[in-house]
Amino acid sequence: MEKKEYDAVILGGGLAGLMAANIVAAAGFSVAVVSKVFPTRSHSAAAEGGIAAYMMGNSDPNDDPDFMSYDEVKGGDYLVDQDAAELLSKKSGEIVSLLDAWGAPFNRQPDGRIALRYFGGQTYPRTRFIADKTGMALLHTLFEHSTGFKNIEYYNEYYVLDIVKEGNNVNGLVAMEMKTLNPIYLKSRALLIASGGIGMMYKHTTNSYINTGDGQGIALRSGVALKDPEFVQFHPTGLYPSDILISEAARAEGAILKNNKGERFMAKYAPHKFDLAPRDIVSRSMTIEIREGRGFEGGYLGLDLRHLGKKYIMERLALAYDAAKNFSGVDASEEMIPVRPAQHYFMGGIDVDTTGTNHDLNGIFSAGESACVSVHGANRLGSNSLLETVVYGRETGNTMVEFLKTHKNVETNSNVEPIIDAAYAYIKRETGEHFGVLTEELRDIMWDNVGIFRDNDKLAEAVSKIKDLRVRAKSMYVTDKTSNYNTELFNALETRNMLDVAYTMATAALNRKETRGAHFRDDFPERDDKNWMKHTITYLAGDEVKISYKPVTYTRWKPEVRVY
Ligand SMILES: Cc1cc2nc3c(=O)[nH]c(=O)nc-3n(C[C@H](O)[C@H](O)[C@H](O)COP(=O)(O)OP(=O)(O)OC[C@H]3O[C@@H](n4cnc5c(N)ncnc54)[C@H](O)[C@@H]3O)c2cc1C
C-alpha cells in the first residue's frame, strides 16, 4: 500500500479545514488536505446568508463583543461555554477584516464599509454577507490563498476510512482514492477532523449528499467522544417539497411567515423578535401551526416576500428567488414561497476545548461543524457557523503548530490492513443488506423520532431500531464490484458512519430529560438547570453508548428565562 508522511493531515477541505491548513502551512509544516470532493465543492459553499461579526466603527453604536457573546449564550439556551463564545465574538471583526484582505468580495455600504444585516436572535445587526453566496465566496478565498503554499498537498476525491492509532497517539489516517479504490496511508503526528455535518441521516434536510457524519463516526470508532450529540438544529425555511434552504437572509430582509389564514403567526410565539426569533423557536412554532391545521395542504406554510418588490429580491435574494422558481415553480415576487422546517445543523460534535484539542488521543484536533467547542450550546444562531469555522479553524491551526513544535514522530509499524479489509469486505460479500434500505430506514427513524418534538417512547423506539440497523449493517454488501468510481461502496461506508453517530444522538436525546434549545421533550417541557446544566459526553463501545458529563463554563452570564 502507498504510504506518505506529513507533519499534519487535515480531514476536510471546507472552510474550517482550509483555514487551519493555511495556518499550519504558514508555520512551515507539511500538510495534506484530504477531501471526498474537490475542496471548493465542500458543503461550506452552500452557505448563503452570511457571517456574523462585531466590527469596531462598523456596527451599531450600542453594540459590542459582550452583547454578541450574550446573544450567543442566550441563543444556545445557556449550554454554551461562555469562554468559547467570548473568544468567538472578540475575534469576529478581525477575522472578517482578514478575509476581506485576502480578497473576499463582501457587500458594501455606500461609504465603502462592509454591509451588515440582522439575523435571528441578534440584539443588533451583525451579519456580513456576499450577496446570498457568502460560503461559496469565502471558500474560494481560502482555497486560493492556500494555493500559494508549496507545502500543502491536496488529496481530492479521496475517502477517509479510519484513523491510525499507536497506543494513545494519533498516527495519521487511511484513505481510498475514489477513482480507483487504491488505498493510501497518510502518516502524521497531528490530525485535524474538519469533516462537516450529518444532515443526510434525516429524511428532510437542507444539507447535501456529502454530509454524512464521516468524521464523527471515524472519531467514535477510535475511542474519541462526541459532546452534546442530542442537539440538532432544524431550520424553519426548507423549500417545500425539496427541502433546499431558503436562507434566513430572506426574513432578515423583511420576508414574513404566514399561515393558511394569512396570519403572521410568529407574533403569537415571539412578540418582540417575530420571524427573527432563534431557529428552534420558529421551527417549533411552524410545526405547531401545521399540526393544528393552519398549514397548507401537504404540510407547509408561506414565506411572503411580495412586499419587497422584484428588484430588491433580485438584488439581495437572487438564490432564494431562483430556488423557489426552479424547484417549486413559484415566482416569489407574486406568490408566497412554500416552506417547512428541515434538519440543518449539528450542534454536537467531537469534544474539543477552545484550542481545538480533543483529550482522548494525543494529536487529534477538530474544528468547524464536526467539532463541539461549544459556542452554540443547545441552539446555534444563524451566521455563527461560518464564523466558527474560520475563528476556530485558525485557533486550532495555531494549536497544531505548537503541538508539532514539541511532539516528535511516533515510530511505528501500525497495522493498517484491517482498515482496508473492512472496506473491501462490502465488495467481497455477495449477499446481505443494502446501504440504500438501511439509510432510508434510518432517515425515517431520525425524522420521526429524533426530530423537532421528542418524548421517551419515540426516543426509546429510535434507540432500539438503530441498534437493530447496526446489527444488520454488519452484513452490508454492494452490487457494484468494479473499482472505477464505485460510489455504491462509498455510500455503504457513509451508512456505517451515520449509523454510529445516529446511535449516540438518539441515546443522548433519550438520556436528557429536559427541554433545552433545539432539544424539545414533550414529556419534560421545561428547562431543568438544576439537573441538566451540563454537557453530555458520549463514547461508543460496541453496541453500548457510554454517557458521562462535563460542566458548562460560565464567565459572566447567569441563566435566565429565554424569551424573544
Ligand atoms: C444550505 C446551508 C446554508 C448555510 N448557510 C449558512 C450561513 O449563511 N451562515 C452560517 O454561518 N452557516 C451557514 N450554514 C452552516 C455552515 O455552512 C456549515 O456549518 C459550515 O460551512 C461547515 O463548514 P466545515 O468546514 O465545518 O465543513 P464542510 O464545508 O462541510 O467541509 C467538510 C469537508 O470534509 C470532507 N469530508 C467529509 N467526510 C470525508 C471523508 N470520509 N473523506 C474525505 N473527506 C471528507 C468534505 O469533502 C469537505 O471537504 C449553512 C448550512 C447549509 C446546509
Side-chain angles (χ1 to χ4, degrees), residues 190-488:
L191 171 66
L192 172 68
I193 300 185
S195 59
I198 53 110
M200 282 312 291
M201 67 174 69
Y202 278 87
K203 183 162 142 193
H204 298 295
T205 178
T206 62
N207 288 196
S208 82
Y209 284 98
I210 57 174
N211 281 10
T212 52
D214 292 345
Q216 295 90 333
I218 287 165
L220 280 171
R221 274 198 300 283
S222 300
V224 170
L226 295 193
K227 189 198 289 165
D228 294 334
E230 62 270 42
F231 294 99
V232 179
Q233 178 161 86
F234 299 88
H235 196 291
T237 54
L239 182 64
Y240 175 87
S242 60
D243 301 315
I244 292 169
L245 181 76
I246 299 296
S247 170
E248 191 164 308
R251 279 170 291 137
E253 296 289 354
I256 294 168
L257 285 162
K258 290 187 178 162
N259 62 20
N260 66 10
K261 295 181 165 26
E263 294 163 342
R264 184 182 199 178
F265 59 86
M266 280 312 299
K268 192 166 58 185
Y269 301 99
H272 303 292
K273 283 277 174 192
F274 297 88
D275 307 78
L276 279 180
R279 290 171 180 175
D280 57 329
I281 294 174
V282 183
S283 288
R284 271 198 299 276
S285 309
M286 290 174 73
T287 308
I288 292 170
E289 289 294 303
I290 294 168
R291 276 188 186 170
E292 293 183 355
R294 293 185 291 280
F296 295 94
E297 203 181 328
Y300 62 86
L301 293 154
L303 183 66
D304 200 349
L305 280 74
R306 292 172 293 186
H307 54 287
L308 300 178
K310 187 154 185 176
K311 185 169 175 286
Y312 191 78
I313 294 172
M314 295 317 284
E315 266 169 29
R316 295 290 189 114
L317 301 164
L319 207 61
Y321 180 88
D322 287 347
K325 184 95 186 144
N326 296 331
F327 293 93
S328 294
V330 164
D331 180 337
S333 65
E334 291 175 3
E335 300 160 80
M336 291 200 287
I337 301 180
V339 289
R340 67 175 169 201
Q343 188 284 343
H344 184 63
Y345 185 83
F346 187 35
M347 270 80 70
I350 295 167
D351 178 24
V352 293
D353 61 22
T354 52
T355 71
T357 308
N358 168 274
H359 296 281
D360 295 311
L361 293 178
N362 290 324
I364 191 160
F365 307 87
S366 186
E369 192 169 339
S370 57
C372 180
V373 176
S374 111
V375 284
H376 310 303
N379 172 64
R380 171 174 77 85
L381 294 187
S383 70
N384 274 356
S385 172
L386 291 187
L387 180 63
E388 184 196 1
T389 62
V390 286
V391 167
Y392 280 99
R394 185 175 63 173
E395 293 299 308
T396 310
N398 284 325
T399 310
M400 290 167 76
V401 167
E402 292 311 309
F403 176 89
L404 288 168
K405 283 181 190 164
T406 51
H407 285 71
K408 294 224 157 36
N409 240 334
V410 186
E411 277 320 317
T412 170
N413 293 308
S414 293
N415 181 9
V416 297
E417 296 303 329
I419 296 176
I420 312 291
D421 292 346
Y424 283 150
Y426 296 141
I427 294 186
K428 286 196 182 131
R429 205 170 285 130
E430 290 298 334
T431 57
E433 290 279 354
H434 194 261
F435 84 86
V437 176
L438 297 177
T439 305
E440 284 310 302
E441 287 186 33
L442 176 67
R443 299 184 77 202
D444 283 341
I445 295 167
M446 292 302 282
W447 182 255
D448 295 340
N449 295 29
V450 197
I452 297 173
F453 287 95
R454 306 160 171 196
D455 63 34
N456 185 76
D457 292 353
K458 284 191 204 167
L459 292 167
E461 184 181 59
V463 170
S464 147
K465 284 185 168 173
I466 299 169
K467 193 173 186 176
D468 180 51
L469 290 181
R470 289 181 76 236
V471 172
R472 286 166 57 193
K474 290 192 174 126
S475 65
M476 239 187 326
Y477 83 116
V478 294
T479 56
D480 184 353
K481 307 294 178 193
T482 64
S483 52
N484 189 0
Y485 277 117
N486 188 334
T487 49
E488 202 184 337

Side-chain angles (χ1 to χ4, degrees), residues 21-223:
N22 279 309
I23 299 296
V24 178
F29 292 104
S30 62
V31 181
V33 176
V34 194
S35 173
K36 62 181 176 179
V37 294
F38 192 82
T40 51
R41 299 192 67 178
S42 299
H43 199 60
S44 291
E48 302 171 19
I51 175 167
Y54 167 80
M55 302 183 83
M56 203 189 288
N58 185 13
S59 291
D60 188 289
N62 296 310
D63 201 7
D64 64 27
D66 285 347
F67 259 121
M68 186 169 172
S69 304
Y70 168 72
D71 285 347
E72 286 153 12
V73 169
K74 179 179 170 188
D77 219 349
Y78 297 90
L79 195 71
V80 169
D81 280 340
Q82 298 186 1
D83 55 343
E86 287 190 81
L87 190 149
L88 186 77
S89 309
K90 207 168 80 192
K91 304 216 167 174
S92 61
E94 173 230 322
I95 203 122
V96 165
S97 298
L98 178 71
L99 293 167
D100 188 32
W102 283 1
F106 283 101
N107 274 43
R108 301 279 163 177
Q109 303 175 48
D111 64 5
R113 291 178 302 161
I114 291 176
L116 70 170
R117 62 184 167 206
Y118 268 114
F119 250 50
Q122 295 176 348
T123 306
Y124 299 106
R126 296 185 193 104
T127 299
R128 320 286 160 165
F129 53 95
I130 300 163
D132 52 4
K133 299 171 183 63
T134 311
M136 170 75 84
L138 295 183
L139 196 54
H140 278 265
T141 303
L142 289 192
F143 183 64
E144 189 179 308
H145 194 82
S146 76
T147 56
F149 291 106
K150 298 260 178 306
N151 49 342
I152 300 182
E153 271 185 52
Y154 281 96
Y155 290 84
N156 300 330
E157 298 190 349
Y158 276 73
Y159 185 91
V160 174
L161 296 171
D162 264 315
I163 295 171
V164 179
K165 293 192 298 184
E166 193 68 30
N168 219 30
N169 295 307
V170 161
N171 214 359
L173 52 77
V174 176
M176 210 179 233
E177 190 185 20
M178 298 174 81
K179 187 174 162 192
T180 59
L181 303 198
N182 285 336
I184 184 163
Y185 172 25
L186 300 172
K187 182 170 163 16
S188 69
R189 281 175 283 160
L191 171 66
L192 172 68
I193 300 185
S195 59
I198 53 110
M200 282 312 291
M201 67 174 69
Y202 278 87
K203 183 162 142 193
H204 298 295
T205 178
T206 62
N207 288 196
S208 82
Y209 284 98
I210 57 174
N211 281 10
T212 52
D214 292 345
Q216 295 90 333
I218 287 165
L220 280 171
R221 274 198 300 283
S222 300

